[in-house]
Each structure stands twice: as structure tokens, then as C-alpha cells.
Amino acid sequence: MSENAIVLMPEVAADLAGNTEQLGRYLVQMAAMMKTIQNRLEQLEENERKVTLSHAEVKDVQLLIRLRSAEYCEKYNIVSPGNLRRVSNGIKRAVLTRYGVKDLHDVPAIARQAVEAQISRWSDVRLMMKCRDALAAEGGT
């Protein structure tokens, strides 16, 4: 026998085999519980995506769009009723396109903070140039 070999008494070996078998059963049970939890989380996330913005939340988003539109037009000196409408429509279109919906009421409620961030960061240089051209055609600055 080698010097590093460990000799186990039969009772200890039997206990270790039993413990290993029990541990294997626990691992199988734990894996089943984890799978159940994962399925439930996926189901909750899917249900959460189905919940859309309330009418009051849509009104808030529309107000944010109007405020951002006014801020944007002021920043680029393209203020006119037509340009405010163009910019507001551009912001709204960007939000609707991002979520693949046709109406703000269809935007997932879980995305409200992302929508607000998108509105606050929104910029479209091409639209701004069109607004400048429109303002010049109207006889503005």
C-alpha cells in the first residue's frame, strides 16, 4: 500500500456513499426548483410587457414631448407653430418606432422611464434643417 493512501472503515465508506446519494437528490430537487423559478420569472416578464401605459401616463408623455419640442425649437432658433408640430411629431414617431406600436397607449408600461429618457435626449438634425427651410420659406429668420 502507498504511504498516501487513506483507508476507510466500511461504516464510514457507507456513510459517505449515503451522503453523496442524498446530495445528488438535493441537487436534482434544487435544479427543478430553479427551473420552476425561471419559468415563473419569464411568465411575469411576459405579463409585464403586456401592460401598457395608462391614459394619464400617455398625457404625461405627450406633455414631455411638447416641452422637449419647444426646448428643441428654441435651442435651434426654429420656433414657429408649424415647426413645433413637426418636431413634436418627430419625437412621437421616434418613440412609436422604437416600440413598434401605432399609438402611445400601446407602449409597454415597463418602458416608461426609457421613453422619458428617449424624449429628453431626442435630436434629429435632418428634421431641424427641414424646419429651418420651412421657417425661411414662411419669411422667418
Side-chain angles (χ1 to χ4, degrees):
M1 220 188 239
S2 78
E3 297 174 25
N4 295 333
I6 299 174
V7 178
L8 295 176
M9 296 193 312
E11 310 83 44
V12 174
D15 283 346
L16 285 176
N19 289 345
T20 304
E21 188 177 314
Q22 184 67 31
L23 184 58
R25 285 194 297 271
Y26 288 154
L27 287 175
V28 169
Q29 289 174 351
M30 180 90 77
M33 287 190 302
M34 292 298 292
K35 181 68 175 161
T36 301
I37 290 170
Q38 182 65 35
N39 290 340
R40 183 67 178 137
L41 281 174
E42 288 171 2
Q43 187 179 39
L44 287 171
E45 288 171 357
E46 181 63 30
N47 289 343
E48 200 170 55
R49 277 187 231 106
K50 291 179 184 176
V51 177
T52 58
L53 294 178
S54 70
H55 185 68
E57 290 172 321
V58 170
K59 290 288 189 188
D60 292 343
V61 168
Q62 290 171 332
L63 175 62
L64 287 173
I65 289 172
R66 286 193 302 275
L67 292 173
R68 176 63 179 148
S69 176
E71 174 188 38
Y72 191 80
C73 287
E74 184 71 31
K75 178 179 179 179
Y76 291 105
N77 197 25
I78 55 173
V79 178
S80 77
N83 285 342
L84 286 169
R85 193 171 42 257
R86 282 182 191 95
V87 172
S88 291
N89 288 339
I91 297 169
K92 181 180 175 182
R93 189 172 35 256
V95 171
L96 296 177
T97 300
R98 179 177 182 184
Y99 294 98
V101 296
K102 294 185 186 282
D103 188 76
L104 290 174
H105 288 90
D106 298 328
V107 172
I110 192 171
R112 177 155 184 206
Q113 286 183 326
V115 167
E116 291 173 359
Q118 179 183 7
I119 292 168
S120 69
R121 298 189 309 268
W122 182 88
S123 184
D124 185 335
V125 174
R126 184 172 292 167
L127 180 60
M128 186 264 298
M129 297 302 286
K130 287 180 183 177
C131 289
R132 279 197 178 153
D133 292 344
L135 192 60
E138 292 172 5
T141 49

